[in-house]
């Protein structure tokens, strides 16, 4: 379907990848993984023809349609929602619009006009043989949560997250033979992610996706392409299978080679937990067989390093943690939530979930004292100290200071050596620590904020979508850190695997203002309330 011949990309002296020769086959769904900055998005843009490679070429089988998810949410401000989706098939869009214009002008005496109308009809029939494009667009938009009366409104009326959904509908509408998706689950809530997963499983051509959502990758992909050491290696299986093969086995062998037994035990516990969910139990046995067959010598160790995130509480958490009573908040007369009441107990690690716009961030901002509720009250226990990861972290981590100085600005008593060590745990090498905060990418800013939170040594963590911008290794490490942490947690996230790693209580804010407060993990919650 799509092949690369000696594909090479350099920027100055830096080589992103070199002489890549791979073929993406029809019917296979590939997950492209690699450390932040390894060149995943660049590789995908070269496949799509958006960037010229330094060397080599991309060959697409003649006659095939290629579609790539657009990342520019603001490219279609003056389009109606329906037209923005139709634009996914530019040929059809152009033909339909020209046809409408000619009919409006109504110059049917002219032979030229009639001939052109005939040509346009042919294009429309080729691109939309069943004449159902309107119906398909309406169905796509409705499924994504846009009611019919909204379809003729302009894109400029939507929030960023909703614009992104339209871009997704746009590329799916094309039904391309080769579908390229870069982080398609960003800004999507869990239900939309589940819908997308099902759509992609039904995709008949070739799919290549970059994602940091492990649950999504595990559900969708049949193959992993690992971009590492300037090369791409192909692996048959989903992300977890690749991870166990590429990382855990290597670590197991290290542990075998005379390392302490305790480390081996911890590793086996981690493997057990890594594939412990009910949905994974079936795979675990076949996976064990795969593991036995694998030739560990073949697997080169990954050049990626896992960050080691560790939150230590400076004092034990008391019995009074947090009480929330009848909390209400509206914006411009629109109720966000009303009479919200719950009590957090010692030992609770809460995943706060719900569709976009139900007020999860608003609730956290109130609890952290950054927003006033309209009515109701809340009370933190006397022993509680909090540390907060706000959703707009990338806007907050700014300034001309170098990284250690920025963190020390929060507490002059923190020793600069401890700060440097903590940044090191978050994979900032000595050199990189001299970087100014402003020069950091989104993912780096998130790692800086997590470093600052480790320094806080608080006994209650409040996190708002910390997994955005983080790569898969960092999310796995964050899940482990929250799992091992001795304090309390409230975390907003749409990442199923992160929730599975730490949460023992699920609070879901529904769009109708009701609340589901469930004691137990996400697996049990999903069984009871039917979310998968």
């Amino acid at each position: 379907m799509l092949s690369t011949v000696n594909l090479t990309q350099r920027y100055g002296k830096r080589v992103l990848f070199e002489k890549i020769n791979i073929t993406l086959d029809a019917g296979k769904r590939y997950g492209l993984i690699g450390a932040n900055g390894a060149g995943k998005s660049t590789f995908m843009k070269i496949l799509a023809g958006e960037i010229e490679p330094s060397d080599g070429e991309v060959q697409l089988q003649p006659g095939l349609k290629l579609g790539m998810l657009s990342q520019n949410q603001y490219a279609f401000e003056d389009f109606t929602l329906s037209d923005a989706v139709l634009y996914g098939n530019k040929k059809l869009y152009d033909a339909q619009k020209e046809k409408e214009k000619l009919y409006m002008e109504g110059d049917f005496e002219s032979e030229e006009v009639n001939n052109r109308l005939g040509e346009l009809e042919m294009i429309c029939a080729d691109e939309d043989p069943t004449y159902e494009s309107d119906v398909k667009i309406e169905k796509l938009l409705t499924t994504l949560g846009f009611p019919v009366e909204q379809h003729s409104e302009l894109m400029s009326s939507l929030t960023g997250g909703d614009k992104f959904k339209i871009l997704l509908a746009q590329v799916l509408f094309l039904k391309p033979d080769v579908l390229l998706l870069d982080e398609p689950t960003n800004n999507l809530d869990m239900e939309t992610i589940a819908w997308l997963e099902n759509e992609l499983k039904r995709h008949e051509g070739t799919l290549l996706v970059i994602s940091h959502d492990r649950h999504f990758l595990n559900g969708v992909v049949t193959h992993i392409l690992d971009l590492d050491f300037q090369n791409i290696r192909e692996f048959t299986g989903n992300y977890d299978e690749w991870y166990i093969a590429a990382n855990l086995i290597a670590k197991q062998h290290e542990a075998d080679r005379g390392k302490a037994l305790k480390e081996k035990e911890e590793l086996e516990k981690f493997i057990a937990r890594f594939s412990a969910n009910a949905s994974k139990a079936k795979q675990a046995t076949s996976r064990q067989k795969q593991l036995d067959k694998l030739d560990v010598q073949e697997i080169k160790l990954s050049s990626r390093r896992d960050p080691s995130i560790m939150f230590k509480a400076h004092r034990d958490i008391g019995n009074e943690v947090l009480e929330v009573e009848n909390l209400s908040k509206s914006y411009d007369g629109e109720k966000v939530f009303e009479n919200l009441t719950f009590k957090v107990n010692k030992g609770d690690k809460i995943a706060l979930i719900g569709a976009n716009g139900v007020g999860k961030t608003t609730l956290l901002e109130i609890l952290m004292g950054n927003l006033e509720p309209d009515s109701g009250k809340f009370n933190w226990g006397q022993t509680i100290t909090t540390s907060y990861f706000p959703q707009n972290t990338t806007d907050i981590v700014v300034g001309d200071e170098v990284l250690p100085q920025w963190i020390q600005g929060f507490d002059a008593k923190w020793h600069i050596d401890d700060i440097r060590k903590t940044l090191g745990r978050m994979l900032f090498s000595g050199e990189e620590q001299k970087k100014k905060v402003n020069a950091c990418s989104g993912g780096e800013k998130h790692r800086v904020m997590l470093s600052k939170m480790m320094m806080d040594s608080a006994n209650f963590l409040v996190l708002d979508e910390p997994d955005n911008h983080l790569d898969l290794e960092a999310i796995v490490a964050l899940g482990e850190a929250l799992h091992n942490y001795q304090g309390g947690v409230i975390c907003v996230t749409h990442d199923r695997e992160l929730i599975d790693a730490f949460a023992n209580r699920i609070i879901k804010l529904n769009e109708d203002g009701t609340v589901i407060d469930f004691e137990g993990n996400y697996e049990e919650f999903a069984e009871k309330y039917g979310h998968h």
Side-chain angles (χ1 to χ4, degrees), residues 10 15 35 58 129 134 199 212 228 236 249 277 282 292 298 301 325 401 404 488 492 511 524 529:
R10 312 182 201 72
V15 177
V58 176
D134 300 0
E199 283 291 299
H212 62 223
D228 201 359
T236 305
I249 295 178
N277 301 348
K282 290 191 286 293
D292 299 338
E298 270 185 25
L301 269 178
E325 277 179 76
E401 299 132 309
V492 171
E511 295 183 76
E524 295 155 349
Y529 295 101

Side-chain angles (χ1 to χ4, degrees), residues 183-212:
E183 297 285 7
T185 60
N186 269 2
N187 303 315
L188 299 183
D189 51 51
M190 286 169 123
E191 279 154 48
T192 313
I193 293 174
W195 168 82
L196 178 62
E197 215 173 289
N198 290 327
E199 283 291 299
L200 297 178
K201 279 186 203 155
R202 295 210 307 266
H203 177 72
E204 286 168 4
T206 307
L207 170 70
L208 178 64
V209 60
I210 297 171
S211 173
H212 62 223

Side-chain angles (χ1 to χ4, degrees), residues 143-145 165 168 185 187-199 213 215-216 353-356 358 360 493-496 499 508-512 516 522 525 529-532:
T143 317
L144 281 168
K165 284 186 183 176
L168 202 52
T185 60
N187 303 315
L188 299 183
D189 51 51
M190 286 169 123
E191 279 154 48
T192 313
I193 293 174
W195 168 82
L196 178 62
E197 215 173 289
N198 290 327
E199 283 291 299
D213 183 328
H215 188 262
F216 171 77
I353 64 172
N356 289 331
V358 293
K360 303 183 296 289
T493 177
H494 300 298
D495 189 309
R496 261 293 302 269
I499 295 173
K508 179 170 191 247
L509 304 184
N510 292 321
E511 295 183 76
D512 60 6
I516 301 174
Y522 191 84
F525 169 85
Y529 295 101
H531 285 297
H532 286 291

Side-chain angles (χ1 to χ4, degrees), residues 24-306:
L24 303 182
D25 300 322
K28 292 184 181 170
R29 300 188 294 272
Y30 300 89
L32 177 60
I33 63 171
N36 278 339
K40 300 185 294 289
S41 296
T42 307
F43 181 72
M44 192 176 265
K45 282 183 180 143
I46 291 174
L47 293 184
E50 290 183 9
I51 296 181
E52 279 292 309
S54 309
D55 213 0
E57 59 172 344
V58 176
Q59 298 172 342
L60 178 66
Q61 209 174 307
L64 292 189
K65 285 191 293 202
L66 180 139
M68 176 160 171
L69 174 62
S70 160
Q71 294 287 334
N72 180 1
Q73 292 149 316
Y74 301 99
F76 299 95
E77 294 293 85
D78 300 335
F79 283 63
T80 64
L81 272 53
S82 301
D83 276 353
V85 177
L86 176 62
Y87 193 83
N89 184 338
K90 188 144 177 350
K91 259 188 187 159
L92 181 60
Y93 175 87
D94 289 343
Q96 279 195 19
K97 291 297 164 200
E98 190 181 339
K99 206 167 80 177
E100 281 167 23
K101 186 167 174 273
L102 291 175
Y103 276 121
M104 292 252 305
E105 289 164 3
D107 182 7
F108 301 124
E109 305 295 301
S110 145
E111 197 176 324
E112 201 182 336
V113 169
N114 286 324
N115 286 346
R116 183 60 184 152
L117 280 169
E119 285 168 14
L120 294 170
E121 277 306 333
M122 294 285 286
I123 295 174
C124 291
D126 276 347
E127 293 297 323
D128 181 22
T130 52
Y131 287 95
E132 282 176 338
S133 62
D134 300 0
V135 183
K136 284 181 187 150
I137 289 172
E138 191 168 296
K139 191 174 164 223
L140 264 175
L141 286 171
T142 318
T143 317
L144 281 168
F146 300 101
V148 174
E149 56 275 15
Q150 212 181 339
H151 298 182
S152 49
E153 287 180 15
L154 291 185
M155 285 285 280
S156 52
S157 66
L158 300 180
T159 63
D162 278 347
K163 286 190 214 268
F164 192 79
K165 284 186 183 176
I166 304 281
L167 296 182
L168 202 52
Q170 185 184 69
V171 69
L172 292 174
F173 169 70
L174 177 63
K175 283 221 180 322
D177 304 289
V178 179
L179 177 56
L180 306 175
L181 301 173
D182 190 351
E183 297 285 7
T185 60
N186 269 2
N187 303 315
L188 299 183
D189 51 51
M190 286 169 123
E191 279 154 48
T192 313
I193 293 174
W195 168 82
L196 178 62
E197 215 173 289
N198 290 327
E199 283 291 299
L200 297 178
K201 279 186 203 155
R202 295 210 307 266
H203 177 72
E204 286 168 4
T206 307
L207 170 70
L208 178 64
V209 60
I210 297 171
S211 173
H212 62 223
D213 183 328
R214 198 174 113 204
H215 188 262
F216 171 77
L217 276 180
N218 283 335
V220 170
V221 309
T222 56
H223 293 70
I224 292 286
L225 296 178
D226 180 18
L227 176 52
D228 201 359
F229 299 109
Q230 284 106 35
N231 196 3
I232 288 184
R233 291 196 303 254
E234 186 176 330
F235 177 88
T236 305
N238 65 18
Y239 180 77
D240 276 5
E241 285 155 348
W242 171 85
Y243 188 91
I244 285 180
N247 293 303
L248 297 182
I249 295 178
K251 284 182 189 164
Q252 217 166 3
H253 273 249
E254 268 174 44
D256 286 350
R257 285 202 298 270
K259 280 263 180 83
L261 285 169
K262 181 172 175 286
E263 199 166 311
K264 191 165 185 240
E265 252 172 63
E266 277 179 11
L267 197 64
E268 277 161 2
K269 268 195 212 141
F270 176 66
I271 293 185
R273 212 170 54 244
F274 199 79
S275 43
N277 301 348
S279 55
K280 293 183 189 158
K282 290 191 286 293
Q283 301 166 13
T285 45
S286 67
R287 196 171 287 175
Q288 198 49 55
K289 284 182 199 138
Q290 261 190 324
L291 296 188
D292 299 338
K293 280 199 305 236
L294 268 167
D295 179 3
V296 183
Q297 296 339 111
E298 270 185 25
I299 294 170
K300 272 183 35 188
L301 269 178
S302 165
S303 67
R304 294 198 276 294
R305 303 192 326 261
D306 298 0

